[in-house]
Amino acid sequence: NARFNFFSATCADVPESQCDIMDPKYIKAFHEINEKVKNIVVDGDKLVADLDDAHKKSEGDTRPWTIYAGDWSFSGTPRSVNGSVVFDGRKCSQFGPFCAKSNLLDVFRDDDYVITNLNSDQILRAVNNWEGQETMCPLTLATADSPCYDVNCQKYTTQTERHNCRVAATSYCTAKCPTITQIINGEEVTRPVNMATCQDRGCIQLGALGSVTTTTPAAGMLNTDPGEAPESAFEFQPT
């Protein structure tokens, strides 16, 4: 069965009547469980070996189950093929954009740093402003200094608003999560300068978008300094 069943998360340490699922500790616990589910890997080589043992045949007979060899996960392993990305070993059901993603964690972009450091005020800020977005902000809604709350980024209509928003986003990401774009095996790869200290992984997305709209920075150069967040960065529409 490739279908995920609906579920209701509740608190394991207090009666349901006293459970506040908005408590930071429960959101962090939910995130940890969610990551474990996402990281489940099925050993396809073991499946092939078991089926070979169960179906002894003569030499030359077909073994259709060999297509299941390798490791299988929800995300798979990305591989570049003719300018497109192919995910090897991806299960039939994959996470997103709706499957297994329509939960509270989506408000925090599944950002490990943001969720790990959440406090009650940040949770309320993000949840209360989620539905009010006029455009889908790629950065976190949890912190008060996020460009998501800049009026220019919220509107993002006129040339002035777009310019001011990109300046604000660039300044924010330079401080919170500077990124670097490099050519690796002929492909552009954008990553944080230091993932351990990246305080908003939305900056990685902005850095990647910027790399395709501007000249690729030389190796070692931050693509958030002195460049700008790209024109298209805040054009995502909520669905």
Side-chain angles (χ1 to χ4, degrees):
N1 189 340
R3 177 177 59 85
F4 280 104
N5 290 322
F6 287 106
F7 70 92
S8 295
T10 187
C11 308
D13 56 346
V14 296
E16 187 172 337
S17 61
Q18 300 175 24
C19 174
D20 180 5
I21 203 64
M22 301 287 280
D23 188 308
K25 69 177 182 180
Y26 296 129
I27 292 179
K28 294 172 186 177
F30 183 18
H31 175 62
E32 291 175 1
I33 295 170
N34 191 61
E35 290 299 302
K36 290 179 181 178
V37 172
K38 287 166 59 178
N39 292 329
I40 291 174
V41 176
V42 175
D43 185 351
D45 292 336
K46 179 66 166 55
L47 292 177
V48 171
D50 289 347
L51 287 169
D52 281 342
D53 290 339
H55 301 278
K56 296 292 186 181
K57 293 189 176 183
S58 302
E59 184 177 351
D61 287 348
T62 60
R63 298 161 57 230
W65 48 83
T66 57
I67 62 173
Y68 301 115
D71 291 335
W72 296 82
S73 62
F74 287 112
S75 297
T77 303
R79 176 168 58 91
S80 178
V81 178
N82 297 325
S84 299
V85 178
V86 174
F87 290 88
D88 295 329
R90 174 179 276 180
K91 295 178 182 177
C92 297
S93 295
Q94 62 199 52
F95 273 52
F98 303 107
C99 179
K101 293 281 285 184
S102 299
N103 58 59
L104 185 60
L105 297 178
D106 201 35
V107 174
F108 307 102
R109 315 287 189 222
D110 287 317
D111 189 316
D112 186 68
Y113 183 94
V114 171
I115 294 174
T116 301
N117 292 279
L118 279 175
N119 59 45
S120 297
D121 289 341
Q122 291 173 332
I123 292 171
L124 290 176
R125 180 183 296 111
V127 171
N128 289 337
N129 285 280
W130 174 256
E131 291 292 342
Q133 296 178 90
E134 295 184 35
T135 58
M136 182 64 77
C137 182
L139 301 170
T140 184
L141 291 168
T143 58
D145 61 345
S146 169
C148 297
Y149 297 111
D150 186 301
V151 65
N152 295 288
C153 295
Q154 291 177 336
K155 298 296 183 182
Y156 208 71
T157 301
T158 68
Q159 287 298 318
T160 298
E161 289 170 344
R162 289 168 179 256
H163 170 76
N164 291 341
C165 176
R166 294 198 301 274
V167 170
T170 298
S171 176
Y172 170 85
C173 285
T174 299
K176 298 292 185 179
C177 184
T179 59
I180 184 172
T181 298
Q182 298 173 309
I183 303 297
I184 300 177
N185 296 327
E187 301 289 337
E188 280 195 353
V189 177
T190 299
R191 60 175 178 79
V193 173
N194 186 339
M195 178 61 85
T197 60
C198 177
Q199 299 177 41
D200 190 336
R201 294 185 182 179
C203 292
I204 304 173
Q205 179 180 351
L206 291 187
L209 288 170
S211 71
V212 299
T213 57
T214 59
T215 302
T216 303
M221 181 185 295
L222 300 184
N223 63 4
T224 52
D225 184 16
E228 294 183 339
E231 181 77 18
S232 60
F234 289 80
E235 289 183 340
F236 303 107
Q237 296 294 328
T239 56

